[in-house]
Every structure is written in C-alpha cells, then in structure tokens.
Amino acid sequence: MGNLYKLTIFRYDPESNKTSTSKYEVEVTESHWTLLDVFRYIKNNVDDTLTFRYSCGQGICGSCAVTVNGKSVLACETQMKFLDSFDLVVEPLRGFPVIRDLVVDHSVLDDKVRKVMPWLVCKKDSESDKERFQSVEDRAKLDGLYECIICGSCVAACPTFWKNKTFLGPQALLYACRFMLDSRDEGKNERFEILADKDGIYGCHTIFNCMEVCPKELNPGKAILELRKMFMNEEF
Ligand code: FES
C-alpha cells in the first residue's frame, strides 16, 4: 500500500488554442519515485496525451522543470516522499510561452544567455595559441556559478521577469558573472556595455526567489550583486 497523490495538471492544446486541467490519482508504492516517474506512469497507463519534457532524468539537462504548488522544481529530482502535500497542482514554468501541456518554449532563455556572451573572450595576440593557465584560487571563484543547467526555474520564479520581458533575468546574469569573474576573460568592458542598465544588473529588485528555487542551490541574486560591485569599483 503506497501513498495516493491527487494531481491537477494544466493542459494546453495548441490546435484548438484551449486551456484546461486534467485530474489524476496515482498511488506511489515505490519510495524512490520522482514526479517524473509519476508523469511517465500517467503517460504509459492512464492518459497517453499528457505532454511533458525530459531528457537525462538525472538533474543534468534542465529540460523537465515545471511548477508544483506554485514553486519551480525539476520533475526528475523531486522525490514524491519529500513533497509536503498529497494534492499537487502542476503547471508549466511561469512566464514562458506554453507549447503544449507542461512544455514551454525555452528559446527566450537561450537568447538572453547568448546576449551576455557566455564564452571566454580572448584577444588575438602572439599568446593566443598558448594554454591559458588559471590558479587554483582563481578557479575556485567560479564555484557556485558554473553549475547552472539552464532549467529556467529561477527565471520562472522572478517577478521582475514576469513584468519586464526585456530584463536579462537571473539565469543570464549568473552566466555573465561566471565569465566576468574568470581570470582568463578579456571581455569585461564589452560585456558591461550589455549588462549595466535597467534590463541588466540594475533590473533586479533583489527579491531572491531565484535562490529559493534553484535546484542546484546556486544564488543568481548574489551573482547580480557581485556584478554591480564590479561595475561600481570599475574592476574591469
Ligand atoms: S530530465 Fe534532465 S534535468 Fe530533469
């Protein structure tokens, strides 16, 4: 005998352009079951029209993020036994265009991350072809920044992003900080031209929902404050 979960799942049919909800009851008998396991159970045994997205199933690809009882989570990392309710309202990530049911269009995230130049900018000179060394101390400065899996949970939890879609958002700014703090990067001036305005580092209202929901326990809000400090101190 397991625990009975009652799920109310948001549905969107792009053909008819109609939204609705579907209710399912699933008895979870295995203690290791995740929310993704429940979605797969429904798809395979109850309703094969339910649409959701996942790939790795291990918290790596970032594709399975959804909203559960108002909070962004990774379905594959959310163990049912740790949820604090047996009644679950499951919706797509907030603030994103919905493609179908729980699947949202992530391209807005990709565009924002691309904008902050998420790569090392290295000037072409006689040293260009040589290996660029980094000390252990400088490498350690990137801890808590490079682990982002681009799941969009932080962006979906950010009220500033809901209101202002031109705001770069916590995920892109975390990425920016990862490269701005990299001792090998030479693109700080160029990057700050993109970051230092009301849609960049000054768009954040320090609400810190991003930190609350990040499945990797990263802190985009802190990264944004770090970028503001760098800009104010002209550390570039
Ligand atoms: S399926 Fe890859 S992070 Fe969940």
Side-chain angles (χ1 to χ4, degrees), residues 36 53-65 74-77 149 151:
L36 179 60
R53 180 161 51 202
Y54 73 99
S55 180
C56 70
Q58 301 177 44
I60 297 168
C61 71
S63 65
C64 67
L74 287 185
C76 72
E77 281 202 331
I149 58 171
C151 65

Side-chain angles (χ1 to χ4, degrees), residues 108-126:
V108 59
L109 291 181
D110 304 335
D111 293 344
K112 286 178 189 295
V113 171
R114 231 175 267 126
K115 253 191 200 162
V116 305
M117 303 193 299
W119 53 80
L120 283 180
V121 177
C122 297
K123 301 209 172 98
K124 276 267 173 213
D125 56 28
S126 56

